[in-house]
Amino acid sequence: SEINRYAEAAAGSWFSLSPQFAHVLDCALQVARASDGAFDPTLGHASELWGFGAGPAPAHVPTDRAAAATRARNWRDLELAEGGRLLLQPGGLALDLSGIAKGFAVDLGIGILQSIGIRHALLDIGGELRGIGVQPDGLPWWVDLEIPPGSTAPATRIGLCGWAVATSGCYRRQRQADGRIWSHSLDPQSGRPIDDTVLSASVLHRGCMQADALATAIMVLGAEEGIRFANAHAVPARIVTQDRVVTSTAWGAWLS
């Protein structure tokens, strides 16, 4: 795949990106800059280490030293040229776009539907959804947000009409070894999985790709910092912890 060919490219070489790849990477870097690296598209080695890459899950819990070694490079080491169509491989850098790719796929699918004349649709790919137009009865596309296992979050229904919603949760994809369970959400600073303080983060946005990446960033930031980030950038966000639900100002305004 294109992402694997980049990882295997020689140090110091420039890699040509396809238009779609360049589009996704550009959005990923925008969210990385806005979140000061809470969203980082260069977690390829860390994802592999913890069992969320192409290889098998680890038989034992990776050490702190091994996790730290995966963070020798980060999103700041990504250098683009020729309007974002060429990407430098500085050496040993591996991308992971799993925190944004599903949202992009939703946007791409909606775009294809619109190109063949479909104006009313709800598209769901792996829990990331975007609605255009309305249902046959004229109402918006109703979506019930997932209630994370073990939480006291109330049932929440939202209506999508020209909007997308993406949810990142620590309970969705997990691995285990040595009696320990961890989720696929990784801390770009340490290269280790985040704790389970935040069970899920949901974000509303006109674009599903943006909602997907922002939900991941907010999960990593945690409840307090996540809501501060959402308020600072006017992001409609809902965070579910083990004992409470917190929402951003924009989330409340959107629902009203």
Side-chain angles (χ1 to χ4, degrees):
S1 69
E2 194 171 355
I3 199 168
N4 285 339
R5 293 199 304 273
Y6 172 73
E8 296 166 358
S13 64
W14 288 92
F15 187 83
S16 179
L17 302 178
S18 67
Q20 290 181 357
F21 198 122
H23 178 59
V24 174
L25 185 60
D26 177 67
C27 181
L29 287 173
Q30 289 184 47
V31 178
R33 284 190 290 268
S35 65
D36 197 25
F39 182 85
D40 191 329
T42 66
L43 284 168
H45 291 308
S47 295
E48 197 70 47
L49 178 69
W50 291 97
F52 301 106
H60 300 284
V61 178
T63 65
D64 289 346
R65 183 177 181 179
T70 68
R71 305 310 300 139
R73 297 191 183 277
N74 59 39
W75 65 276
R76 293 182 176 85
D77 294 303
L78 293 176
E79 183 179 345
L80 293 158
E82 293 193 10
R85 294 299 301 276
L86 291 179
L87 177 64
L88 178 67
Q89 171 55 273
L93 194 151
L95 299 172
D96 179 358
L97 299 174
S98 60
I100 192 172
K102 282 194 299 181
F104 168 69
V106 171
D107 288 339
L108 185 65
I110 287 291
I112 291 172
L113 292 175
Q114 291 174 321
S115 72
I116 60 174
I118 295 175
R119 296 292 176 262
H120 306 276
L122 176 69
L123 183 57
D124 172 11
I125 298 180
E128 324 299 11
L129 303 98
R130 180 176 166 186
I132 56 172
V134 294
Q135 297 187 71
D137 58 8
L139 294 176
W141 299 99
W142 298 114
V143 173
D144 291 335
L145 297 184
E146 289 184 7
I147 299 176
S151 80
T152 59
T156 300
R157 176 169 292 179
I158 59 176
L160 296 180
C161 182
W163 284 79
V165 63
T167 298
S168 182
C170 68
Y171 55 90
R172 285 187 169 183
R173 294 175 60 208
Q174 297 181 330
R175 296 288 185 267
Q176 61 180 14
D178 302 329
R180 178 185 165 189
I181 300 175
W182 61 87
S183 83
H184 71 287
S185 297
L186 304 176
D187 181 352
Q189 295 296 321
S190 65
R192 299 181 60 84
I194 64 173
D195 60 31
D196 59 357
T197 302
V198 174
L199 300 180
S200 70
S202 298
V203 166
L204 290 157
H205 199 281
R206 293 288 185 180
C208 199
M209 176 173 64
Q210 290 86 348
D212 197 4
L214 289 166
T216 300
I218 289 171
M219 276 287 297
V220 170
L221 287 169
E224 286 73 23
E225 286 298 322
I227 286 298
R228 276 195 283 271
F229 169 80
N231 286 334
H233 295 276
V235 173
R238 174 181 183 263
I239 298 175
V240 177
T241 71
Q242 294 177 343
D243 57 2
R244 62 192 176 118
V245 176
V246 290
T247 58
S248 68
T249 301
W251 180 276
W254 191 92
L255 292 183
S256 64

